[in-house]
Amino acid sequence: MDTEDRARLIRSGDRRALARAITLVESARPDHRAEALALLEALRDPKREALRIGLSGTPGVGKSTFIEAFGLMLTAQALRVAVLAVDPSSARSGGSILGDKTRMERLSRDPLAFIRPSPSQTQLGGVARRTREAVALCEAAGFDVVLIETVGVGQSETVVAELSDLFLLLLAPAGGDELQGVKRGIMEMADLILVNKADGDLKPAALRTVADYKGALQLLRRRPQDPPGFPKTLPVSALTGEGLAQAWEEMQQLTKWRKSEGHWDRTRAAQSRTWFQEEVRQGLLSALTQEPQKGLMGSLGDRVAKAELTPEAAAAEMLRLLGRTP
Ligand code: GDP
C-alpha cells in the first residue's frame, strides 16, 4: 500500500490502519523510518487537532480507573478518545504497565475509543518520539481528545508536558496533612490537580488533600498561560464518577481561554520547535553509533587513552570531522 492510500484510510478513521501506522512509527528499521516520515508528512494538517491531555500519577492512584470513567463520559458525548502511554519503566520491566487494555476493559470495547499500550523501548527519548508521532497520527485520524498517560517518576512528565495542551496530575488522598512528596517541578507543570478516591471513607482525607494543594499552588508563580484561578485542585472519584464532569468543564474553560488569548498557538509552536531540536540532537547522537563516526570515536579515543591527544583536542577534532562527514 502506498503512502497516499495509508493516509486516506487513516483520515477516514480506519482503526486498523491507525494501529498499523503506529506500529510503523515505532519501528527502528531504516526503511520503516522513511515510510513513517512520508506518512506523517502526508497527514500533516494543522486544522485537524485534538485536545491533547497529559495525565500523570504514581501507580495505584487510579489512572486507569480514571481514564476508563473519563473516557466513557466523553464517548457518551460522541467525542472520539484515544489513549496513549509514555512508560519510562517498560525498559526495565520489559513489559508495559500503562495503556494496558485489560486495565480499561469497557473503554477498549467502545467503538469511539482507541487504546494503545506503551511501546517497550530502551530509551525515554525513543519512547517520547514515538508517542509524539502516535499523537500526530491520532489527530489525523480525527480523534477529539488524546489522553497521554504516564507514571509519576519525574523525567517522563516533562516529556508528556511537551506533548500536551493540558496536564493533569492525579493524586490519592494523603493520610496526614503532608504533601505527598510530589516534586515541585511536577506541580508546576499541572493545570489541574485531581485528588482521586474522594468517595466513602476516603472522602474527608481527599478534601483535606485538596485544601493542602490549593494552599501549595497559591505559593507557586503564576504562569502567563494561566487564567485567574488556575492551576486548580479538585476532588474526583473515578469509581463513582463524581467530579469528572466538573473536571472536564474546567479543562474546556481553560482551553477556551488559552485559545482566545493566543497561548494555545504559541505553546504548540514552541513545542514543535522543541521537538525539531530534539530530533536533531537524537539524530546526531545516533550518528555517533554508526560508521564512519563510530570508528573515528574509537581511534580518537585510543589516542586520548595513550595520552597522544588531550580529551579536549580529540573532541574538537571529532566535532570538526563531524562537520564534514554526512
Ligand atoms: P493506576 O495504577 O494508577 O492505574 O491505578 P488503578 O486505576 O489501577 O487503581 C488502583 C486501585 O485504586 C484499584 O483498586 C482501584 O479500584 C482503586 N481506585 C481507583 N479509583 C478509585 C476511586 O475513585 N475511589 C476508590 N475508592 N478507589 C479507586
Side-chain angles (χ1 to χ4, degrees), residues 234-245:
L234 299 175
V236 295
S237 169
L239 211 57
T240 67
E242 213 179 323
L244 297 186

Side-chain angles (χ1 to χ4, degrees), residues 6-318:
R6 278 178 196 268
R8 220 179 348 265
L9 276 176
I10 291 168
R11 273 198 223 95
S12 76
D14 186 300
R15 300 151 62 90
R16 293 212 357 242
L18 173 62
R20 275 199 299 268
I22 295 179
T23 304
L24 180 69
V25 301
E26 285 172 359
S27 168
R29 264 175 51 182
D31 56 330
H32 287 170
R33 199 64 213 141
E35 272 180 66
L37 290 183
L39 183 61
L40 287 164
E41 185 57 28
L43 287 168
R44 189 171 53 84
D45 179 1
K47 285 192 296 297
R48 233 173 165 168
E49 63 181 17
L51 177 61
R52 307 173 185 169
I53 304 174
L55 173 76
S56 171
T58 47
V61 305
K63 287 182 301 302
S64 43
T65 313
F66 174 86
I67 292 172
E68 169 134 298
F70 185 70
L72 288 168
M73 182 184 82
L74 298 183
T75 58
Q77 298 173 24
L79 293 169
R80 299 182 65 207
V81 178
V83 181
L84 305 171
V86 173
D87 184 356
S89 66
S90 59
R92 264 177 286 131
S93 64
S96 70
I97 56 164
L98 296 174
D100 182 351
K101 285 182 192 172
T102 59
R103 291 162 70 235
M104 309 166 195
E105 219 175 302
R106 281 198 298 150
L107 188 63
S108 69
R109 285 199 306 266
D110 191 317
L112 291 180
F114 176 85
I115 301 179
R116 181 77 178 190
S118 55
S120 39
Q121 171 78 27
T122 45
Q123 267 187 341
L124 185 56
V127 179
R129 170 208 240 174
R130 286 161 180 78
T131 307
R132 178 170 46 83
E133 291 169 354
V135 170
L137 292 171
C138 290
E139 290 197 308
F143 282 91
D144 301 295
V145 174
V146 180
L147 280 163
I148 310 150
E149 179 191 14
T150 192
V151 78
V153 294
Q155 213 193 344
S156 63
E157 271 83 2
T158 315
V159 165
V160 172
E162 283 295 343
L163 290 166
S164 310
D165 303 310
L166 298 178
F167 192 79
L168 312 183
L169 177 61
L170 209 60
L171 297 176
D177 60 356
E178 82 281 12
L179 301 182
Q180 303 161 39
V182 174
K183 293 195 194 72
R184 188 190 166 103
I186 295 174
M187 254 173 69
E188 282 174 343
M189 278 187 274
D191 295 306
L192 272 185
I193 293 183
L194 301 176
V195 180
N196 191 33
K197 310 195 184 182
D199 51 49
D201 293 348
L202 289 168
K203 192 159 187 174
L207 296 181
R208 262 200 317 274
T209 306
V210 168
D212 289 345
Y213 276 89
K214 275 190 176 154
L217 285 177
Q218 274 168 4
L219 302 177
L220 293 181
R221 190 169 44 90
R222 276 273 310 278
R223 302 173 301 180
Q225 68 270 33
D226 292 334
F230 279 91
K232 278 194 184 169
T233 312
L234 299 175
V236 295
S237 169
L239 211 57
T240 67
E242 213 179 323
L244 297 186
Q246 198 200 335
W248 176 231
E249 177 61 31
E250 300 288 358
M251 290 178 223
Q252 289 173 291
Q253 288 297 334
L254 182 57
T255 301
K256 209 168 126 195
W257 186 86
R258 283 186 180 160
K259 282 191 169 168
S260 69
E261 299 290 317
H263 292 297
W264 177 279
D265 287 340
R266 269 199 294 281
T267 302
R268 283 210 169 193
Q271 287 175 339
S272 296
R273 192 184 291 275
T274 300
W275 284 115
F276 153 67
Q277 292 169 348
E278 187 54 28
E279 279 292 307
V280 172
R281 208 169 286 129
Q282 293 293 334
L284 285 175
L285 285 177
S286 87
L288 292 180
T289 66
Q290 285 152 24
E291 296 303 347
Q293 291 85 349
K294 193 176 161 199
L296 290 170
M297 284 290 275
S299 53
L300 282 167
D302 291 344
R303 292 176 62 198
V304 170
K306 286 188 221 144
E308 291 171 13
L309 270 177
T310 63
E312 295 77 14
E317 174 67 3
M318 185 67 210

